Amino acid sequence: MGLLDGKVCFVTGAGRGIGEETVRRFAEEGAIVYGTDLINGSMDESFGKFCTQYKTEVIPMYFDVTDETASKSAIMQIKREQGRLDVLVNNAGIMQDNVIGMISYELMKKVFDVNVFAVLQITQLAAKLMMRQRSGSIVNISSIVGSEGAAGQTVYSASKGAVAAMTKAASKELSPYGIRVNAVAPGLINTDLFRAIGEKKIQENLSHVRMGRLGEPIDVANVITFLASDMSAYVTGEIIGVDGETHV
Ligand code: NDP
């Protein structure tokens, strides 16, 4: 028996990094997994591999999470094909920023569109389905900078702070329906998004991690799997740090 046997799960930003590893872990635990990404065809190979390896359904969907109509169609497709949705992981996110005084309105809008508004929108769509079932688990991806902030990351930090706040608010509203809403707050995780800061900054940042290493996508995916599963049946409204004791 897997931790997620037969559960229907939807993971956004599933093409690489934390999202892809979460899809793999979910499939390994017996879930039926839908994943979305931007670039057409980018998940076909990996998802095909997971299907064969774990003998379950792993289904790619390609759309931009900021596209409200496409998000609605995706949730409707899941309902049509599986009749239910047990787990939503709002993982898709972008990290773009600039120092204060140089931040354009366009950049603020772009980051908030993906990291905040799309999360709110997809949460609403999924919650409607879950409310009828009177069960479900929603896992959001915040960040250590969502509570601590980081110099040069005012916009990204604000967006991830919003994710933490909406997690707590949605948990209060949805817990009477049997829906749990939690978040993970990763520190420095070894993915394309983090590596984009460059080798010099990576080494500087590493000195702030007491455990002395970067986190790997599986470190985060394991906590997401716990929050998605019935192992955390009485846990809601929590923001769980996955940062190896990092001081930003
Ligand atoms: P990656 O950049 O490695 O992967 C992000 C994924 O999200 C990609 O598959 C990307 O698609 C997808 N994506 C981005 N924008 C959209 C969109 N508009 N619609 C659909 N999919 C989209 O990031 P990580 O795995 O590192 O990050 C995952 C989450 O974790 C993010 O929310 C990030 O903010 C958060 N996080 C990451 C940390 C880290 O150190 N890595 C630390 C703290 C939080 P595509 O491949 O097509 O571009």
Side-chain angles (χ1 to χ4, degrees):
M1 283 283 282
L3 277 178
L4 301 173
D5 255 352
K7 284 199 192 286
V8 179
C9 305
F10 176 37
V11 180
T12 69
R16 51 200 166 107
I18 295 167
E20 184 185 31
E21 184 58 13
T22 300
V23 170
R24 191 196 66 74
R25 280 293 288 122
F26 279 12
E28 190 174 34
E29 294 295 344
I32 295 162
V33 197
Y34 289 77
T36 181
D37 197 57
L38 281 172
I39 307 160
N40 233 330
S42 62
M43 300 177 293
D44 291 358
E45 200 184 321
S46 57
F47 279 27
K49 235 170 53 193
F50 299 154
C51 279
T52 316
Q53 194 175 354
Y54 302 118
K55 298 184 176 39
T56 186
E57 290 176 71
V58 187
I59 301 133
M61 295 190 284
Y62 297 98
F63 65 91
D64 188 328
V65 290
T66 64
D67 180 338
E68 190 185 337
T69 311
S71 298
K72 214 175 257 176
S73 307
I75 299 289
M76 279 166 63
Q77 182 188 333
I78 297 171
K79 183 170 183 280
R80 201 171 52 246
E81 291 177 356
Q82 309 294 340
R84 57 186 297 110
L85 176 63
D86 298 302
V87 176
L88 164 68
V89 182
N90 280 309
N91 167 76
I94 54 173
M95 187 173 76
Q96 290 178 9
D97 235 309
N98 213 334
V99 291
I100 288 172
M102 300 296 287
I103 304 167
S104 67
Y105 186 69
E106 196 188 343
L107 184 143
M108 296 178 214
K109 247 183 74 58
K110 194 171 167 194
V111 172
F112 269 70
D113 272 348
V114 179
N115 293 7
V116 181
F117 300 138
V119 176
L120 281 165
Q121 183 59 31
I122 294 176
T123 296
Q124 291 202 89
L125 295 166
K128 278 187 192 158
L129 200 55
M130 291 174 171
M131 280 161 97
R132 283 202 286 273
Q133 300 164 189
R134 299 196 81 79
S135 70
S137 171
I138 298 173
V139 185
N140 295 326
I141 316 298
S142 180
S143 166
I144 189 170
V145 303
S147 57
E148 305 302 315
Q153 294 197 331
T154 302
V155 178
Y156 181 70
S157 301
S159 75
K160 291 300 181 177
V163 170
M166 77 171 81
T167 300
K168 290 196 169 283
S171 168
K172 288 190 167 69
E173 192 169 329
L174 296 176
S175 51
Y177 296 91
I179 303 167
R180 301 182 295 107
V181 189
N182 293 287
V184 295
L188 311 174
I189 311 300
N190 192 11
T191 66
D192 294 343
L193 178 138
F194 174 68
R195 281 193 297 264
I197 68 172
E199 197 49 42
K200 190 165 167 269
K201 277 201 158 163
I202 291 176
Q203 290 313 319
E204 267 171 41
N205 275 306
L206 251 178
S207 64
H208 301 295
V209 186
R210 290 240 164 94
M211 285 188 80
R213 69 165 176 92
L214 294 179
E216 294 299 328
I218 193 164
D219 293 316
V220 185
N222 279 335
V223 182
I224 297 172
T225 303
F226 164 71
L227 290 171
S229 79
D230 296 339
M231 293 277 284
S232 57
Y234 204 51
V235 179
T236 190
E238 297 299 324
I239 318 290
I240 301 185
V242 187
D243 61 34
E245 196 65 72
T246 297
H247 298 269
V248 286

